[in-house]
């Protein structure tokens, strides 16, 4: 049974998991390695189960250790949230906030908003991770993750919609001059394309017709990339038709480097959502970021007035 004075041992255990070993955890906690080891041993004795599988070269969590770790993260998050809410006067965001986000969306749209928050709140310490993979929030100690597309039904996580990526199907004028401008989805499906190799909708582009029905188009891949910036460059060089977020292609459309293609069906937007570990008390710093992104992000995604009318393709 866990005693009321075990909070220090719990903190040592959580840091040992996040750091990967007792030595790194000891450095972060300003303790000796033996002190961290003893704290974890006390927890194992109180719980009556081993939390780590230890070998001479490595250590990893047991099944019981993983379950206990996830519960500890929720408990510590609630304690941090309670501390923020009980601070004298108006609750202010403070402490470390770790966020994970898609690379290009993070650089272009999210980071500027978060930097403004860091300037406004000096006690808020922001740590950003830019990557396009699906991170494990609990395993990697992430407070908030921004994800594109449909979410998996993962236990222990909550989510909130931030907005949606408005998708634009486009091509360079030179490409359209050589291959013709597709007027229907059937014609689009025959155009060689610059495709994203890790698309949230697989290889297909999803459209919605006027009746609300979903239609999928799978153009043949001429260029396959896992970087949106590279896709934009390849498309501007006339290497195929593509589908990219409006916030990314708007300048190229405005300058005439690309032409937006229109169909009776509209390209289905891709939802952007924030995901975090389920806790009863959400820390002030997390609530601040969520509320700010909900307010500030949709106008950036829509980029009103940036694209303007697309120039007519060369016949």
């Amino acid at each position: 049974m866990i005693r009321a004075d075990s909070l220090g041992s719990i903190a040592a255990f959580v840091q040992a998991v996040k750091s990967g070993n007792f030595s790194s955890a000891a450095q972060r906690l300003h303790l000796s390695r033996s002190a961290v080891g003893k704290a974890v041993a006390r927890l194992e004795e109180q719980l009556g189960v081993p939390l780590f599988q230890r070998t001479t070269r490595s250590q990893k969590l047991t099944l019981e250790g993983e379950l206990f770790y996830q519960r500890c993260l929720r408990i510590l998050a609630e304690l941090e949230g309670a501390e923020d809410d009980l601070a004298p006067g108006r609750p202010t965001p403070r402490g470390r906030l770790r966020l994970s986000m898609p690379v290009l969306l993070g650089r272009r749209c999210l980071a500027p908003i978060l930097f403004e928050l860091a300037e406004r709140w000096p006690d808020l310490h922001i740590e950003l991770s830019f990557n396009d993979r699906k991170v494990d929030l609990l395993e990697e100690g992430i407070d908030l993750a921004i994800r594109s597309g449909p979410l998996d039904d993962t236990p222990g996580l909550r989510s909130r919609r931030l907005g949606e990526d408005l998708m634009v199907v486009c091509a360079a004028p030179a490409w359209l001059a050589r291959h013709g401008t597709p007027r229907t989805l059937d014609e689009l499906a025959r155009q060689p394309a610059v495709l994203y190799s890790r698309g949230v909708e697989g290889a297909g582009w999803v459209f919605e017709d006027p009746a609300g029905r979903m239609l999928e188009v799978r153009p043949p891949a001429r260029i396959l990339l896992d970087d949106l910036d590279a896709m934009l460059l390849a498309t501007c060089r006339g290497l195929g038709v593509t589908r990219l977020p409006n916030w990314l292609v708007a300048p190229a459309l405005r300058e005439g480097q690309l032409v937006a293609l229109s169909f009776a069906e509209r390209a289905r937007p891709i939802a952007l959502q924030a995901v975090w570990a389920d806790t009863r008390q959400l820390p002030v710093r997390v609530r601040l970021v969520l509320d700010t992104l909900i307010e500030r992000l949709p106008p950036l995604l829509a980029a009103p007035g940036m694209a303007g009318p697309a120039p007519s393709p060369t016949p």
Side-chain angles (χ1 to χ4, degrees):
M1 178 178 179
I2 295 292
R3 297 195 303 266
D5 61 352
S6 297
L7 184 58
S9 295
I10 290 174
F13 164 68
V14 169
Q15 190 57 246
V17 177
K18 290 182 177 181
S19 302
N21 56 67
F22 289 177
S23 296
S24 297
Q27 292 177 0
R28 289 175 179 248
L29 295 171
H30 304 289
L31 298 172
S32 66
R33 185 187 185 284
S34 63
V36 173
K38 289 177 181 178
V40 173
R42 283 195 297 271
L43 282 180
E44 291 177 323
E45 182 179 356
Q46 293 169 20
L47 293 167
V49 296
L51 298 174
F52 287 102
Q53 291 178 346
R54 300 176 179 85
T55 68
T56 56
R57 295 186 177 181
S58 66
Q59 64 182 35
K60 66 178 182 178
L61 287 173
T62 62
L63 177 59
E64 294 83 3
E66 177 63 36
L67 294 174
F68 186 63
Y69 174 64
Q70 294 184 16
R71 183 64 61 87
C72 288
L73 287 176
R74 298 190 190 105
I75 292 171
L76 293 175
E78 292 199 20
L79 287 173
E80 290 177 356
E83 181 182 358
D84 288 341
D85 290 340
L86 293 175
R90 182 177 178 271
T92 59
R94 57 169 56 88
R96 187 189 68 166
L97 182 65
R98 298 191 67 200
L99 298 99
S100 173
M101 60 195 66
V103 175
L104 203 54
L105 176 70
R107 291 175 183 168
R108 299 283 183 88
C109 299
L110 298 172
I113 298 174
L114 297 169
F115 294 157
E116 288 182 21
L117 290 178
E119 290 173 345
R120 181 178 179 186
W121 304 103
D123 291 331
L124 180 63
H125 303 278
I126 295 177
E127 183 177 331
L128 305 183
S129 174
F130 298 90
N131 59 76
D132 292 326
R133 64 183 178 86
K134 179 182 174 182
V135 300
D136 187 320
L137 277 73
L138 299 177
E139 180 69 24
E140 300 181 42
I142 300 296
D143 298 298
L144 199 64
I146 311 302
R147 291 180 177 168
S148 299
L151 298 177
D152 298 332
D153 186 15
T154 304
L157 297 180
R158 297 191 65 184
S159 65
R160 189 167 175 181
R161 189 182 181 93
L162 299 177
E164 57 185 20
D165 261 343
L166 305 178
M167 306 305 293
V168 179
V169 179
C170 53
W175 171 269
L176 297 176
R178 293 194 305 271
H179 297 270
T181 301
R183 305 295 181 185
T184 67
L185 295 189
D186 286 339
E187 292 178 357
L188 177 64
R190 294 192 291 270
Q191 288 250 354
V194 178
L195 298 179
Y196 186 56
S197 62
R198 292 186 292 181
V200 296
E201 296 167 353
W205 295 347
V206 178
F207 292 80
E208 183 177 349
D209 71 10
R213 292 171 298 190
M214 296 298 114
L215 305 171
E216 186 177 70
V217 174
R218 292 177 176 265
R222 182 165 189 244
I223 306 290
L224 196 61
L225 302 165
D226 67 356
D227 179 84
L228 297 184
D229 248 342
M231 290 178 63
L232 176 62
L233 177 62
T235 307
C236 288
R237 292 178 69 92
L239 296 178
V241 66
T242 196
R243 185 196 64 162
L244 287 169
N246 180 65
W247 53 264
L248 177 59
V249 301
L253 292 172
R254 183 186 61 215
E255 295 167 8
Q257 294 177 285
L258 294 177
V259 174
L261 305 179
S262 60
F263 306 92
E265 305 81 4
R266 73 180 188 117
R268 188 182 186 188
I270 297 177
L272 291 174
Q273 302 176 80
V275 182
W276 66 93
D278 189 9
T279 60
R280 293 181 183 178
Q281 184 74 29
L282 197 62
V284 170
R285 59 184 180 275
V286 178
R287 289 205 307 269
L288 170 71
V289 171
L290 279 174
D291 292 343
T292 303
L293 291 180
I294 289 170
E295 177 186 359
R296 298 278 305 278
L297 190 57
L300 294 177
L301 299 176
M306 285 189 67
S312 300
T314 304

